[in-house]
């Protein structure tokens, strides 16, 4: 009994051990499955993280590509195919006549294939066989002849239908081409409707604009001024990506967008708007194969809710008037768009377009008049010759100035000849905040307007309570007048600027026997002196052509109101990036008595009346050749606290005829007036 019990216990123990081993094996397999599951989950998670990271990189690259495309809009658009009338012409070439199966004649039966079958034993049988063969041949021959007749009949019908289709198509093509040719001839003759239709078609057909950009022109044509006036719809602020980059955050398992700074978005949006206006003008001039235009006026508008009224409206964010002669001389692929628009072309661009802060538009399409009433205020003759402002009747000249102010978007009327209090034109600028009452005096002079006239205008502004005074003349102003006007609500418009404004707004006028031209180009070779500096101070960079320490004349002081010397040897030019100011000098063309070219920097008191030259740091003058290739750099002295004007240095003629640069000069705490006085220019 004991042995039996022991045997049963052993069997029971073995069964327990086997069961234990089974459970351990199952646990081991379960742990392996769990390990494999965790490994798969890690692989899936890793794959998902890699996918999310790759997706974040892709979205970042898309954002960068969009920004790059926006910054290169102008350069890319200038490479688009040029619109030509020939593209509208249709070809008269037609597909050749294709008869298809009808072009193949029916095959006639061959008599040799209809011989009598051999094997007939008697002459009668042979004769019968030959008769049967002949009968079959004739039957098949007549059937083939009938089929050929039907084919030829069907072929003739098919050919007539083809010729009718070709005739209809050719007639349609020729009518279309005749219409295009007639429209082209109308454009060549300068008919307003045809010119507007042609350039509107050119803008709509252009491939220069990215997808999603509005291409909605609204235009008018002034045949007298040969000017296209264009309202061009601009993209909204949303065109600039709100996000700067996207990154994946593994700990949160989500993508996070890094926002683009508002200032950066605004800067880029302003660049886009400037590029849009420049590109619209470029596309118009490129399509002008009929030489119908002397200029184009472009107003960049957005269709949005006006912040002031809440109503849907066309809000003008940028405007420019581009003369063709000036515009075609620009290298658009290399310009800074904002500087080109606002400085080289004297356009206006909203400082805060993201907030829909509008600028006063230039000439609008609805302002264009093509009737004969234009001669009533321009004094234009029937021959179309521009009136000479020097010889114009005084009343007509005042009316012309009033019309100019109306073309600029203001209300303007001339005053009575007696008791006008020294005011020739009353104008009202409706622009909020900056607008108001304007008194205008008109001086049809040939000699420089004396500073006393500017002081008298300032007194009139104070007496009448006007917001601003404007003095318009056919001549010019000396440094004393400009210095007196600084910081005061006065604006001085000399003769060349007046002519430019007239042409910009579709009016006519010239100074003297021939239409005014830009200052003479310097003869021979020239250099560009590009000026750059660090700091945010706003400066005017000027040049003085001197004999010793004295300026040759007031006209040899080159500054913002006198952009060139009389001979054109020194002139201000738009600054090539990264410079902030530039002067072009033809040293060989400088007057023989000149032995010094002095470069001056002065704080702009209108921009910041409390600034000094302490913010004028790291200044450099770059010496450039006509192709704007840098030839060398000239280090100049930095500004000091309390100074508001500084002599940067001077180029001096040596006995050998060469010019050397002499660094530095005195600084002036009392501004540009004291510096000019030391160089012989009297400033009142």
């Amino acid at each position: 009994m004991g042995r039996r019990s022991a045997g049963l216990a052993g069997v029971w123990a073995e069964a327990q051990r086997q069961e234990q081993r089974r459970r351990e094996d199952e646990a081991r397999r379960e742990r392996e499955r769990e390990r494999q599951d965790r490994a798969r989950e890690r692989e899936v998670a890793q794959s998902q993280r890699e996918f999310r990271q790759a997706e974040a990189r892709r979205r970042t690259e898309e954002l960068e590509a969009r920004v790059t495309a926006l910054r290169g809009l102008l350069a890319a658009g200038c490479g688009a195919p040029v619109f030509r009338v020939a593209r509208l012409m249709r070809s008269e070439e037609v597909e050749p006549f294709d008869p298809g199966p009808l072009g193949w004649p029916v095959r006639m039966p061959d008599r040799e294939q209809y011989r009598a079958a051999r094997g007939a034993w008697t002459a009668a049988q042979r004769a019968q066989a030959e008769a049967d063969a002949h009968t079959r041949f004739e039957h098949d021959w007549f059937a083939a002849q009938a089929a050929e007749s039907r084919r030829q009949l069907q072929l003739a019908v098919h050919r007539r239908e083809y010729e009718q289709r070709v005739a209809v198509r050719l007639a349609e093509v020729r009518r279309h081409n005749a219409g295009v040719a007639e429209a082209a001839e109308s454009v060549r003759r300068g008919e307003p409707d045809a010119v507007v239709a042609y350039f509107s078609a050119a803008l709509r057909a252009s491939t220069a604009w990215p997808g999603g950009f509005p291409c909605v022109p609204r235009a008018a044509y002034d045949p007298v001024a040969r000017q296209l006036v264009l309202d061009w719809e601009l993209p909204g602020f949303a065109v600039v990506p709100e996000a700067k980059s996207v990154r994946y955050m593994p700990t949160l398992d989500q993508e996070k967008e890094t926002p683009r700074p508002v200032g950066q978005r605004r800067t880029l949006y302003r660049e886009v708007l400037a590029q849009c206006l420049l590109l619209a003008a470029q596309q118009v001039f490129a399509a002008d194969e009929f030489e119908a235009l002397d200029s184009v006026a472009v107003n960049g508008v957005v269709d949005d809710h006006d912040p002031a009224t809440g109503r849907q409206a066309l809000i003008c964010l940028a405007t420019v008037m581009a003369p063709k002669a000036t515009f075609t001389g620009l290298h658009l692929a290399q310009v800074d768009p904002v500087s080109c628009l606002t400085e080289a072309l004297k356009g206006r661009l909203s400082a805060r377009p993201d907030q829909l802060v509008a600028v006063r538009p230039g000439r609008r399409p609805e302002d264009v008049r093509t009737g004969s009433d234009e001669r009533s205020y321009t004094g234009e003759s029937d021959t179309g010759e521009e009136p000479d402002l020097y010889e114009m009747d005084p009343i007509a000249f005042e009316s012309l100035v009033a019309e100019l102010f109306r073309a600029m978007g203001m209300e303007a009327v001339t005053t009575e000849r007696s008791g006008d209090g020294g005011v020739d034109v009353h104008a009202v600028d409706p622009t909020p905040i900056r607008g108001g009452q304007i008194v205008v005096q008109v001086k049809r002079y040939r000699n420089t307007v004396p500073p006393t006239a500017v002081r008298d205008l300032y007194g009139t502004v104070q007496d009448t309570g006007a917001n601003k005074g404007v003095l318009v003349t056919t001549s010019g102003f000396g440094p004393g007048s400009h210095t007196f006007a600084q910081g005061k609500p006065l604006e001085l418009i000399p003769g060349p600027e007046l002519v430019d404004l007239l042409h910009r707004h579709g009016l006519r006028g010239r100074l003297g026997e021939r239409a005014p031209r830009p200052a003479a180009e310097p003869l021979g070779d020239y250099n560009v002196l590009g000026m750059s500096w660090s700091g945010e101070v706003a400066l005017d960079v000027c040049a003085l052509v001197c004999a010793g320490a004295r300026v040759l004349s007031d006209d040899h002081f080159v500054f913002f109101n006198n952009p060139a010397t009389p001979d054109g040897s020194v002139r201000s030019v738009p600054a090539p990036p990264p410079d902030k100011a530039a002067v072009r000098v033809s040293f060989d063309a400088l007057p023989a008595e000149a032995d010094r070219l002095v470069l001056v920097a002065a704080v702009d008191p209108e921009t910041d009346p409390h600034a000094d030259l302490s913010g004028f740091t790291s200044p450099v003058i770059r010496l450039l050749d006509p192709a704007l290739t840098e030839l060398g750099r000239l280090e100049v002295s930095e500004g000091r606290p309390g100074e508001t004007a500084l002599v940067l240095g001077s180029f001096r003629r040596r006995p050998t005829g060469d010019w050397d640069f002499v660094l530095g000069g005195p600084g002036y705490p009392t501004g540009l007036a004291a510096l000019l006085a030391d160089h012989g220019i009297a400033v009142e």
Side-chain angles (χ1 to χ4, degrees):
M1 186 69 179
R3 288 193 298 272
R4 188 171 184 176
S5 297
L8 289 173
V11 171
W12 176 251
E14 181 63 25
Q16 285 184 325
R17 285 193 294 272
Q18 290 179 356
E19 180 64 21
Q20 180 67 26
R21 284 195 294 270
R22 186 186 64 78
R23 286 196 296 267
E24 290 176 352
D25 289 342
E26 287 183 357
R28 187 166 49 253
R29 286 193 295 270
E30 182 64 23
R31 288 194 300 272
E32 181 63 22
R33 283 194 297 271
E34 291 177 355
R35 187 189 65 79
Q36 291 176 354
D37 289 343
R38 288 194 300 271
R40 282 193 294 271
E41 289 175 357
R42 286 195 298 270
E43 290 177 359
V44 171
Q46 179 65 23
S47 176
Q48 288 179 342
R49 283 195 296 270
E50 292 176 354
F51 173 77
R52 298 288 293 275
Q53 289 172 348
E55 182 67 12
R57 287 194 298 270
R58 184 191 64 78
R59 290 181 59 192
T60 298
E61 291 171 357
E62 285 185 353
L63 291 171
E64 293 173 348
R66 286 172 59 188
V67 169
T68 300
L70 290 176
R71 286 183 172 144
L73 172 64
L74 181 58
C78 289
V82 175
F83 182 82
R84 287 289 181 265
V85 166
R87 292 174 55 187
L88 302 177
M89 305 294 279
R90 298 177 183 173
S91 172
E92 293 190 7
E93 183 179 353
V94 296
E95 70 280 2
F97 176 67
D98 180 12
L102 294 177
W104 297 94
V106 176
R107 186 175 181 180
M108 293 293 108
D110 185 0
R111 183 179 292 274
E112 293 298 322
Q113 296 179 354
Y114 290 82
R115 293 182 179 277
R118 296 187 180 185
W121 294 94
T122 64
Q125 290 176 332
R126 288 194 294 273
Q128 183 61 42
E130 290 178 357
D132 291 343
H134 181 71
T135 300
R136 290 195 307 273
F137 170 75
E138 287 186 341
H139 176 272
D140 292 348
W141 188 87
F142 282 115
Q145 285 290 340
E148 174 63 13
S149 297
R150 289 194 300 273
R151 183 194 72 84
Q152 291 182 2
L153 180 60
Q154 292 173 351
L155 179 63
V157 172
H158 190 57
R159 184 180 293 278
R160 283 196 300 272
E161 292 175 348
Y162 165 78
E163 291 174 349
Q164 290 173 355
R165 289 197 306 272
V166 167
V168 170
R169 171 173 170 74
L170 285 177
E172 180 184 354
V173 168
R174 287 165 182 165
R175 281 196 302 271
H176 170 81
N177 291 346
V180 172
E182 182 179 355
E185 187 59 32
S186 298
V187 176
R188 186 175 284 106
R189 291 194 299 266
E191 297 178 8
D193 290 343
V195 173
V196 168
Y198 171 75
F199 286 108
S200 297
L203 288 168
R204 290 193 182 97
S206 174
T207 60
W209 307 100
F213 270 51
C215 296
V216 185
R218 193 170 68 91
Y221 177 66
D222 185 341
V224 177
R226 290 169 49 85
Q227 181 182 76
L228 184 72
V229 182
L230 177 67
D231 276 1
W232 182 252
E233 189 170 348
L234 301 171
F237 187 49
V239 74
V240 180
E242 187 174 354
K244 184 176 182 180
S245 62
V246 181
R247 63 189 180 94
Y248 174 65
M249 304 179 66
T251 55
L252 301 177
D253 190 28
Q254 64 182 18
E255 295 175 353
K256 181 178 180 180
E257 292 184 347
T258 301
R260 193 178 301 276
V262 175
Q264 188 180 108
R265 288 188 73 198
R266 179 186 301 125
T267 298
L268 180 54
Y269 187 47
R270 295 183 80 236
E271 290 180 14
V272 171
L273 300 187
Q275 290 182 89
C276 285
L277 260 67
L278 294 173
L279 186 54
Q282 186 272 338
Q283 293 288 290
V284 167
F285 284 133
D288 188 18
E289 59 180 306
F290 303 106
E291 299 295 329
L293 302 178
D294 286 341
S295 63
V296 58
V298 187
N299 301 301
V301 299
V302 292
D303 190 356
D304 209 327
H305 290 90
D306 189 333
T309 65
R311 296 180 178 178
Q312 198 76 11
L314 292 178
I315 303 170
C316 184
L317 298 181
T319 185
V320 68
M321 201 295 296
K324 188 174 186 178
T326 302
F327 194 87
T328 53
L330 300 174
H331 299 282
L332 293 179
Q334 300 176 3
V335 302
D336 172 68
V338 174
S339 298
C340 181
L341 181 77
T342 59
E343 297 179 17
L345 295 175
K346 309 301 182 186
R348 293 189 293 275
L349 178 63
S350 172
R352 292 185 176 271
D354 54 309
Q355 299 178 12
L356 300 180
V357 176
V359 299
R360 183 195 305 151
R363 197 180 191 194
R364 302 300 296 271
E366 58 268 23
D367 298 333
V368 176
R369 301 189 302 178
T370 58
S372 60
D373 58 334
E374 293 197 14
R375 293 191 185 95
S376 64
Y377 56 81
T378 63
E380 185 180 340
S381 66
D382 292 338
T383 63
E385 182 182 358
E386 284 191 305
D388 184 352
L389 302 182
Y390 288 134
E391 304 299 331
M392 184 179 287
D393 177 79
I395 297 178
F397 184 52
E398 292 178 5
S399 298
L400 174 61
V401 172
E403 182 61 28
L404 172 61
F405 277 78
R406 287 193 289 270
M408 295 169 68
M410 306 182 202
E411 301 173 5
V413 294
T414 56
T415 62
E416 297 293 335
R417 299 300 296 171
S418 61
D420 58 13
V423 178
D424 299 311
V425 176
H426 278 291
V428 177
D429 184 352
T431 304
I433 300 176
R434 297 174 307 202
Q437 299 288 332
I438 301 174
V439 294
V440 184
Q441 287 186 354
V442 177
K443 304 292 185 185
R444 201 163 48 86
Y445 287 2
R446 290 182 179 269
N447 298 321
T448 302
V449 175
T452 53
V454 182
R455 290 198 294 270
D456 291 343
L457 174 61
Y458 184 55
T460 302
V461 170
Q462 293 177 313
D463 292 341
T464 59
N467 299 82
K468 186 178 184 180
V470 179
L471 183 54
V472 181
T473 183
T474 52
S475 58
F477 303 92
S481 296
H482 289 292
T483 302
F484 178 82
Q486 284 183 350
K488 299 180 179 66
L490 300 176
E491 185 167 349
L492 310 181
I493 301 179
E497 184 176 342
L498 171 61
V499 171
D500 181 61
L501 285 171
L502 291 172
H503 291 176
R504 283 173 180 266
H505 293 87
L507 305 175
R508 308 286 275 175
R510 59 185 172 89
L511 298 173
E513 293 300 322
R514 293 185 295 178
R517 296 182 298 176
E521 296 288 333
L523 302 176
D525 197 7
Y526 62 85
N527 292 101
V528 175
L529 307 177
M531 185 74 193
S532 62
W533 60 88
S534 301
E536 299 301 325
V537 62
L539 295 180
D540 292 325
V541 175
C542 316
L544 297 87
V545 181
C546 302
R550 311 287 289 183
V551 179
L552 296 185
S553 71
D554 288 356
D555 291 336
H556 287 84
F557 169 39
V558 176
F559 65 119
F560 59 91
N561 275 310
N562 181 41
T565 57
D567 57 5
S569 58
V570 182
R571 65 183 307 177
S572 297
V573 294
D579 300 323
K580 297 182 178 180
V583 177
R584 191 168 73 182
V585 182
S586 177
F587 287 100
D588 292 339
L590 286 170
E593 63 272 26
D595 61 4
R596 191 171 303 182
L597 175 68
V598 181
L599 298 180
V600 173
V603 172
D604 183 355
E606 293 186 1
T607 302
D608 189 351
H610 305 295
D612 60 16
L613 291 176
S614 59
F616 180 64
T617 58
S618 303
V620 172
I621 297 176
R622 295 196 307 145
L623 184 64
L624 311 173
D625 66 11
L628 301 182
T629 301
E630 186 173 322
L631 303 177
R633 293 193 172 210
L634 306 172
E635 303 292 337
V636 295
S637 301
E638 296 185 344
R640 292 183 291 272
E643 293 179 349
T644 55
L646 173 68
V647 174
L648 302 174
S650 59
F651 289 87
R652 300 186 182 183
R653 194 199 302 262
R654 300 306 181 195
T656 60
D658 295 331
W659 292 81
D660 293 336
F661 183 71
V662 178
L663 172 65
Y668 294 80
T670 54
L672 187 60
L675 187 153
L676 295 177
D678 281 355
H679 288 80
I681 297 181
V683 178
E684 300 183 15

